[in-house]
Amino acid sequence: MNVLFLTIAKINSLGDSGIYTDLLREFYKDGHNVYIVCPTERREKKKTYLVKETEGVILNIRTLNIQKTNIIEKGFGTLAIENQFLSGVKKFFSEIKFDLVIYSTPPITFSKVISFIKKRDGAYSYLLLKDIFPQNAIDMRMIKKGSFLHKFFMKKERKLYEISDTIGCMSQANKNFILTHNPNVSPEKVEVNPNSIFPIEMEEIEEERISLKKVYGLPLNKKIFVYGGNLGKPQGIDFLLETIETTKREDVFFLIIGSGTEYNRIKKWFESTHPKNAMLMKGLPKEQYEKLLRACDVGMLFLHKDFTIPNFPSRLLSYLQIKLPVLAATDPNTDVGSIIESAGCGYWTISGNQESMHTTIDKFCKDSKKYMEMKENAWRLLVKEFHVRHSFQLIKNRLKNV
């Protein structure tokens, strides 16, 4: 079987670990041919190029900057990428008949490419829904409700759902949201297919933790609460900074690692406030970042309090992989907090409620036995609910029923 995967995520190699590469390697291990189309953004200063690896072929299409850039270029880039991807598929994969096309949101503007593949090859189409747009932009006040842009993107969204044979949602709350707000979508074509990876259990070595703390200048005698990932408006950065400023415990230290549209604002805040209980670090390469996580004690998830859509941050998996208990500060619509609490591997609080936040931080510090139990439960949750083999099997089962 020939499998085509479309994404705006940058995929350098199928040998890398991640929610998409881990899934695609499962197809390769199952005997299928894997083809990927992803962007090489303008800032990389490269032309469209092809990479052939043992596990598959990666077509890097030259695009505008579409991630971590200003909203104008991001908008034009998102609109243009559909035709750019379609041209690339026609030029480089003209002789290949695809049996399955998988694609992720964002963006929602892949309809033309998917329709072409389905019509030409009779391929089965599977959407991995990682972002509910344009409602998330409405929530963040990036697009005005009822505006021309809103109506335009809603039309694109409906078309994408319509041509998708199956829609895989990140959680039950995601699935419920899609079915509630899209009555034209058949419930039979929607299922829960969460963010997933191939779990690799790592040995905890105390000497390594101490060494890493010394290298990065982290305190040796405090519990490190780490936030790693995108630093943008969707993360509700104001609440994160407010938490740092109002936390008075002497045994707690906050580490923020990442990049994004809000990074410079956070940097200015650090430079003017000089918090003694926190450190800001520019985003690190994936391998280096995941190694540094081993020196930390609690992983933090932040989502803006105004979200009406149920986001489900993929960085949760990085925390679970190294057995980090999780503190989630989110809007009330996502189910990520209830999932970690039900699994006994962390605590959830509503974003914006500072009193509850401090109570939640205290819980991680006062009971060492409970804390160790949460570490083991984190690993169990990852293996049970977010193993990539499960995601792969869901897609394969859909193909069996065609």
Side-chain angles (χ1 to χ4, degrees), residues 5 26 49 59-60 62 82 134 169 180 213 291 369:
F5 179 60
E26 290 298 313
Y49 64 100
L59 174 59
N60 297 270
R62 180 175 169 83
E82 183 171 40
C169 300
T180 300
K213 286 183 177 183
K291 186 175 183 180
K369 182 181 178 182

Side-chain angles (χ1 to χ4, degrees), residues 29-151:
K29 288 189 287 186
D30 203 52
H32 308 294
N33 303 311
V34 174
Y35 300 83
I36 298 169
V37 183
C38 65
T40 177
E41 296 183 79
R42 182 174 63 88
R43 64 171 66 93
E44 297 177 52
K45 298 179 181 179
K46 294 180 181 178
K47 294 181 179 180
T48 295
Y49 64 100
L50 203 66
V51 176
K52 295 183 179 180
E53 299 185 328
T54 302
E55 297 92 343
V57 177
I58 306 171
L59 174 59
N60 297 270
I61 301 283
R62 180 175 169 83
T63 67
L64 293 172
N65 294 326
I66 47 182
Q67 300 191 76
K68 297 176 182 176
T69 186
N70 65 77
I71 192 168
I72 295 174
E73 183 172 16
K74 184 183 181 76
F76 279 115
T78 301
L79 292 174
I81 199 170
E82 183 171 40
N83 288 323
Q84 291 168 333
F85 272 35
L86 179 56
S87 296
V89 168
K90 287 180 177 180
K91 180 178 179 180
F92 291 89
F93 298 149
S94 60
E95 303 299 317
I96 301 166
K97 182 180 185 295
F98 293 106
D99 304 283
L100 169 66
V101 54
I102 307 172
Y103 40 98
S104 59
T105 56
I108 58 169
T109 53
F110 279 156
S111 300
K112 196 180 291 186
V113 195
I114 299 156
S115 295
F116 172 77
I117 298 296
K118 292 188 72 170
K119 185 177 181 180
R120 187 191 72 174
D121 302 341
Y124 190 91
S125 57
Y126 196 106
L127 168 60
L128 294 170
L129 192 72
K130 308 299 185 186
D131 183 57
I132 300 175
F133 186 86
Q135 185 56 48
N136 63 347
I138 297 293
D139 292 346
M140 294 296 95
R141 297 177 176 83
M142 298 169 69
I143 295 178
K144 186 177 180 181
K145 187 174 184 179
S147 66
F148 168 78
L149 272 180
H150 182 209
K151 292 175 182 177

Side-chain angles (χ1 to χ4, degrees), residues 140 234 236 303-308 330-333 350-352:
M140 294 296 95
L303 288 172
H304 200 288
K305 61 183 178 62
D306 292 338
F307 270 124
T308 63
T330 75
D331 59 272
N333 296 295
I350 296 292
S351 180

Side-chain angles (χ1 to χ4, degrees), residues 103 105 107-111 114 118 125-135 153-169 174 177-179 181-186 189-190 309:
Y103 40 98
T105 56
I108 58 169
T109 53
F110 279 156
S111 300
I114 299 156
K118 292 188 72 170
S125 57
Y126 196 106
L127 168 60
L128 294 170
L129 192 72
K130 308 299 185 186
D131 183 57
I132 300 175
F133 186 86
Q135 185 56 48
F153 283 120
M154 280 189 69
K155 187 177 179 180
K156 287 282 187 181
E157 181 188 32
R158 284 194 294 268
K159 179 63 177 176
L160 187 68
Y161 295 165
E162 179 186 325
I163 65 171
S164 299
D165 293 314
T166 299
I167 301 173
C169 300
N174 273 251
F177 185 94
I178 291 300
L179 293 176
H181 292 84
N182 298 274
N184 55 312
V185 173
S186 168
K189 70 189 289 183
V190 185
I309 61 167

